[in-house]
Amino acid sequence: MTATGGIPRVDPDAISSSAFKRAMFSFALTPAGTWYSSQVGARIDPWLVKVSGGRIDSALGTIPVAVLTVRGARSGIERKVPLLYFNDGEDIVLIASSYGRPKFPSWYYNLKAHPDVTLEARGRAGRYHATEVEGAERDRLFAQGKKVYRGYADYERRTEGVRRIPVMRLSLVSA
């Protein structure tokens, strides 16, 4: 696999918060917001991101969204999933929160089975290799994720004693 570029950087320590963004996050944490994100946003974001060159998504640009293209764990069929992302150095970090539901998201199993993927964001794309992060490094990255999206703290509470939310590190594949 060769690198085809990389997606725009998202620094958790440089995230700004406007009144609009705070309102969107508050909505996202309600049952209606969770429904909208998981049932509407997840279905339309791959199309919106593609046709707008990454300028528009269902969250109206309040969170950094990348579209993950990964093969199905069993089917082998390519799937496109919009996900919040951020950077840790040159790597991309994805958090498999599934909105705090008790089960892991399907894309997590797909990524474990087929770790070589493509990410697209804001008109840029890159080929990446994914690995799951464990231990203290996982905890550090999860804390960074909470800076990007405060809902992760709520999701962590919802899954306590049920499952530990996985953190995935994606490294750009170079020639």
Side-chain angles (χ1 to χ4, degrees), residues 20-84:
F20 177 71
K21 191 179 273 191
R22 287 190 299 275
M24 289 293 288
F25 284 166
S26 292
F27 171 70
L29 294 174
T30 67
T34 297
W35 177 86
Y36 173 80
S37 295
S38 65
Q39 301 302 312
V40 177
R43 287 181 169 80
I44 65 172
D45 274 347
W47 179 81
L48 280 175
V49 169
K50 182 177 176 105
V51 300
S52 72
R55 292 182 303 278
I56 300 171
D57 58 63
S58 64
L60 305 176
T62 56
I63 60 172
V65 174
V67 176
L68 171 73
T69 302
V70 61
R71 295 201 172 278
R74 289 181 288 199
S75 71
I77 296 170
E78 276 194 350
R79 310 282 184 196
K80 291 187 180 288
V81 185
L83 298 169
L84 183 148

Side-chain angles (χ1 to χ4, degrees), residues 103-162:
K103 293 184 178 180
F104 295 110
S106 297
W107 67 262
Y108 166 74
Y109 294 111
N110 296 343
L111 200 56
K112 294 284 285 183
H114 301 284
D116 294 316
V117 300
T118 301
L119 280 178
E120 297 174 63
R122 301 204 177 166
R124 293 170 51 193
R127 311 256 317 158
Y128 293 83
H129 181 81
T131 55
E132 187 166 355
V133 181
E134 303 282 348
E137 183 68 357
R138 179 257 176 225
D139 296 342
R140 181 186 72 79
L141 291 174
F142 195 83
Q144 289 291 92
K146 291 178 195 177
K147 293 177 184 178
V148 178
Y149 177 60
R150 67 180 185 173
Y152 286 142
D154 187 50
Y155 300 162
E156 187 174 42
R157 282 189 295 278
R158 289 186 206 172
T159 59
E160 192 172 344
V162 178

